């Protein structure tokens, strides 16, 4: 396997109760990030008793100079602003309300991006998404414009530079011994490659958890594409579509679609 590198952890380690920690470098709106997320979900379902993980946002367009202002009021005084870096800052603002809040926010943001239902680079749209995901809206608005959210995003960019991550998405695996070097895997590989890396780092045979039922899967992740379900269960997209349509007819799932993609969401 090419594009693998050993490197040291650049920041103080977090409190870890599981032996492996994954740093997952993504641009949240990149299509490859969605494929990485699918792989991560399956890895969580089968092996999350071995690892913790954190996203590191690595949006390439980092300058906030030259923001494009558009017509339309936010509060009666402010003009809407759009910029490719704003979604990453918004995710960091959501993260200040907890990791679960950030995960809900990221999922809803990606849902709108996939279906092209909203311009997710728009400040006002990002506020609306916070409402949709039941965040504390006043806290979110304050955090979105705060130095803390901007610094958190800058910290992610610093980690990206320090680890010399130049291909997005990438994953860096660290074990619980901070003296040991991490293993950087640049780019995307087949699912079995990541399982093999976990096994090599643990130096032991892995115990694989059973995959959940489709109903249980949607209880955990709420919305998935046909391709997500096919990848998780190692079936064809046609087989996945057939199973998902059954749940739709049973009024367990909603089907959302555009020319490019089909998304299924728990009712």
């Amino acid at each position: 396997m090419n594009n693998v590198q050993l490197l040291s952890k650049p920041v103080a380690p977090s409190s870890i109760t599981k032996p492996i920690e994954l740093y997952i470098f993504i641009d949240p709106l990149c299509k490859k990030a969605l494929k990485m997320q699918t792989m991560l979900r399956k890895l969580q379902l089968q092996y999350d008793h071995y690892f913790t993980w954190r996203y590191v946002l690595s949006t390439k367009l980092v300058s906030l100079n030259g923001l494009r202002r558009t017509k339309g009021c936010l509060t009666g005084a402010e003009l809407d602003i759009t910029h490719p870096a704003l979604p990453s800052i918004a995710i960091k603002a959501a993260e200040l309300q907890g990791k679960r809040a950030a995960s809900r926010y990221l999922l809803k943001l990606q849902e709108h991006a996939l279906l092209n239902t909203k311009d997710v680079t728009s400040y006002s749209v990002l506020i609306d998404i916070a409402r949709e995901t039941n965040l504390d809206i006043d806290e979110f608005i304050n955090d979105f414009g705060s130095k803390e959210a901007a610094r958190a995003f800058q910290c992610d960019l610093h980690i990206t530079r320090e680890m010399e991550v130049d291909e997005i998405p990438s994953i860096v695996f660290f074990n619980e011994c901070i003296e040991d070097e991490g293993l950087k895997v640049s780019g995307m590989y087949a699912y079995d490659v990541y399982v093999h890396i976990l096994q090599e780092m643990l130096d032991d045979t892995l115990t694989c958890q059973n995959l959940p039922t489709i109903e249980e899967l949607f209880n955990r992740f709420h919305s998935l594409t046909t391709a997500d379900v096919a990848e998780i269960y190692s079936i064809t997209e046609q087989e996945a579509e057939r199973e998902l349509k059954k749940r739709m007819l049973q009024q367990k799932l909603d089907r959302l679609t555009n020319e490019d993609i089909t998304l299924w969401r728990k009712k």
Side-chain angles (χ1 to χ4, degrees):
M1 180 175 58
N2 297 323
N3 245 356
V4 175
Q5 179 183 346
L6 295 174
L7 71 170
S8 300
K9 202 167 188 177
V11 292
S14 57
S15 176
I16 300 173
T17 57
K18 299 177 185 180
I20 303 294
E21 184 172 24
L22 275 54
Y23 280 41
I24 302 159
F25 294 81
I26 62 165
D27 179 336
L29 300 183
C30 173
K31 288 185 178 180
K32 287 184 179 179
L34 300 173
K35 289 185 179 180
M36 178 68 80
Q37 185 166 275
T38 304
M39 184 284 300
L40 178 64
R41 283 171 169 169
K42 187 170 182 178
L43 205 63
Q44 286 177 271
L45 291 167
Q46 294 192 305
Y47 299 107
D48 74 348
H49 47 298
Y50 293 113
F51 69 90
T52 58
W53 57 273
R54 59 166 292 187
Y55 282 127
V56 182
L57 303 182
S58 306
T59 305
K60 288 185 178 180
L61 297 175
V62 299
S63 173
L64 292 179
N65 295 327
L67 291 174
R68 178 163 60 87
R69 296 179 180 273
T70 59
K71 293 181 180 180
C73 289
L74 297 176
T75 62
E78 299 171 290
L79 290 176
D80 194 9
I81 297 169
T82 63
H83 193 275
L86 286 180
S88 293
I89 297 172
I91 293 165
K92 287 300 176 183
E95 200 172 75
L96 293 171
Q97 296 188 36
K99 189 172 181 178
R100 288 185 179 180
S103 294
R104 291 199 315 272
Y105 189 89
L106 173 61
L107 184 63
K108 182 59 68 174
L109 186 151
Q110 290 177 325
E111 181 180 304
H112 283 301
L114 280 170
L115 295 171
N116 200 25
T117 49
K118 293 184 177 182
D119 178 4
V120 297
T121 66
S122 160
Y123 177 87
S124 60
V125 166
L126 293 165
I127 299 293
D128 288 341
I129 292 173
R131 291 191 181 94
E132 288 182 58
T133 48
N134 298 316
L135 300 188
D136 183 314
I137 194 65
D138 291 333
E139 185 178 338
F140 178 83
I141 290 171
N142 288 335
D143 289 336
F144 197 3
S146 72
K147 291 180 180 178
E148 285 78 9
R151 282 182 189 140
F153 179 40
Q154 290 294 331
C155 179
D156 278 13
L157 296 176
H158 175 73
I159 292 171
T160 303
R161 289 191 299 271
E162 190 169 325
M163 289 193 181
E164 298 180 350
V165 173
D166 50 17
E167 186 173 355
I168 303 300
S170 293
I171 298 183
V172 180
F173 292 75
F174 290 102
N175 66 25
E176 57 192 340
C177 180
I178 62 174
E179 288 83 12
D180 289 350
E181 292 179 311
L183 182 69
K184 180 172 72 176
V185 184
S186 298
M188 278 289 299
Y189 291 88
Y191 176 72
D192 289 345
V193 170
Y194 299 99
V195 175
H196 178 73
I197 292 169
L198 270 181
Q199 184 166 316
E200 288 292 308
M201 294 198 74
L202 290 163
D203 195 23
D204 197 3
T205 302
L206 299 181
T207 301
C208 178
Q209 298 177 134
N210 292 329
L211 289 170
T213 64
I214 289 179
E215 287 77 10
E216 291 167 341
L217 181 70
F218 277 88
N219 283 338
R220 181 159 180 177
F221 296 119
H222 302 295
S223 67
L224 301 106
T225 66
T226 307
D228 287 335
V229 175
E231 175 68 22
I232 287 169
Y233 291 107
S234 300
I235 58 178
T236 67
E237 289 196 29
Q238 290 77 12
E239 290 171 319
E241 178 96 5
R242 192 158 54 245
E243 290 301 318
L244 292 163
K245 280 182 178 176
K246 288 179 187 176
R247 274 75 180 178
M248 181 182 70
L249 293 172
Q250 294 166 353
Q251 298 189 337
K252 295 178 179 178
L253 299 176
D254 285 325
R255 183 183 186 183
L256 308 168
T257 186
N258 64 16
E259 293 179 358
D260 301 317
I261 200 160
T262 299
L263 190 74
W264 305 85
R265 187 166 62 196
K266 181 185 174 184
K267 279 185 174 288

